[in-house]
Amino acid sequence: MPSPPLAPDDGPIDFEHLKRMTLGDAGLEQEVLAMFAAQSAKLIGTLAGRPLDAGALAHTLKGSARAIGAFGVADAAARLEAVLGSGDDPFDVLAELGEAVALARMAIEAALGRA
């Protein structure tokens, strides 16, 4: 089931959702975004090797993404989790997740002024 954003958003990160989740603390928003950017890159790299705990890693990424408002990443991670659970080939869904993470990380880098 797709993650419904709590407020309309046009980009890979729902910054209004993030603002609500961090109670408007701009410093905390930046810290959370930086942590997600690092964690998501690491998880995508690990998932590419198709480890035995890939389902749990996809679940972790899904939860982290939902927390910051990266609903496209969360939805792709949920699809990967389902594919892994079914035993089907995850190649296409993993590529989709990688693209969603790349878009979210670009938005994060821009938001943090690193782009």
Side-chain angles (χ1 to χ4, degrees), residues 91-110:
F91 181 80
D92 290 338
V93 181
L94 185 55
E96 177 189 340
L97 177 59
E99 290 174 22
V101 166
L103 287 173
R105 292 185 74 228
M106 284 191 307
I108 290 168
E109 295 298 318

Side-chain angles (χ1 to χ4, degrees), residues 5 9 11-15 17-18 21 64-72:
D9 183 59
I13 304 290
D14 183 337
F15 288 100
H17 174 80
L18 176 62
M21 295 300 286
S64 297
R66 284 183 178 154
I68 68 153
F71 295 115

Side-chain angles (χ1 to χ4, degrees), residues 34-113:
M35 286 190 312
F36 179 80
Q39 177 198 42
S40 62
K42 182 179 178 182
L43 287 175
I44 287 296
T46 302
L47 285 166
R50 297 187 187 175
L52 293 176
D53 62 345
L57 296 175
H59 185 80
T60 296
L61 183 54
K62 176 179 69 176
S64 297
R66 284 183 178 154
I68 68 153
F71 295 115
V73 173
D75 292 343
R79 285 189 289 279
L80 178 60
E81 191 177 11
V83 166
L84 291 168
S86 72
D88 291 336
D89 184 357
F91 181 80
D92 290 338
V93 181
L94 185 55
E96 177 189 340
L97 177 59
E99 290 174 22
V101 166
L103 287 173
R105 292 185 74 228
M106 284 191 307
I108 290 168
E109 295 298 318
L112 296 177

